[in-house]
Amino acid sequence: MTGRHRDGQPYASVYQRVWDGPARAEAERLDQVWADWTVLYSLGKRSFYAVASWDGPQVVVVEDLTSEGLEERMQEAEMTRLVQVVSPSLAPRDSRERPPTGPRERGQARRRRSPGGRTA
């Protein structure tokens, strides 16, 4: 039996290639700069991803092929979030304080029926 990893043979070091080193380093840099985001680089798709870490009704994930494009998408997502948080407080005051509509505002009052089926 022959081979590099055969019992009794000395250990042989193998060159370990770092795929897309600059892109992975850029993703790590963006991850440190943007505190509210987790930034990743996908070797399979060769694109950058960012996952927002703020609380919200749904997960926010943005993707781009370049780090610059990813930063733009992250800024757009943050602005969208800011608009959604601020806009309810800018709603007209009377629409927030209006009492809920009751059955009297729906039209004529309904007559109650007695247990015998006759109207009261």
Side-chain angles (χ1 to χ4, degrees), residues 13-35:
S13 63
V14 179
Y15 174 73
Q16 184 178 2
R17 181 176 171 96
V18 178
W19 296 94
D20 291 340
R24 291 169 67 183
E26 181 66 13
E28 198 170 311
R29 184 191 70 78
L30 289 175
D31 189 45
Q32 293 173 358
V33 171
W34 292 81

Side-chain angles (χ1 to χ4, degrees), residues 83-95:
V83 167
Q84 289 173 348
V85 169
V86 172
S87 62
S89 64
L90 296 177
R93 198 175 258 285
D94 60 334
S95 67

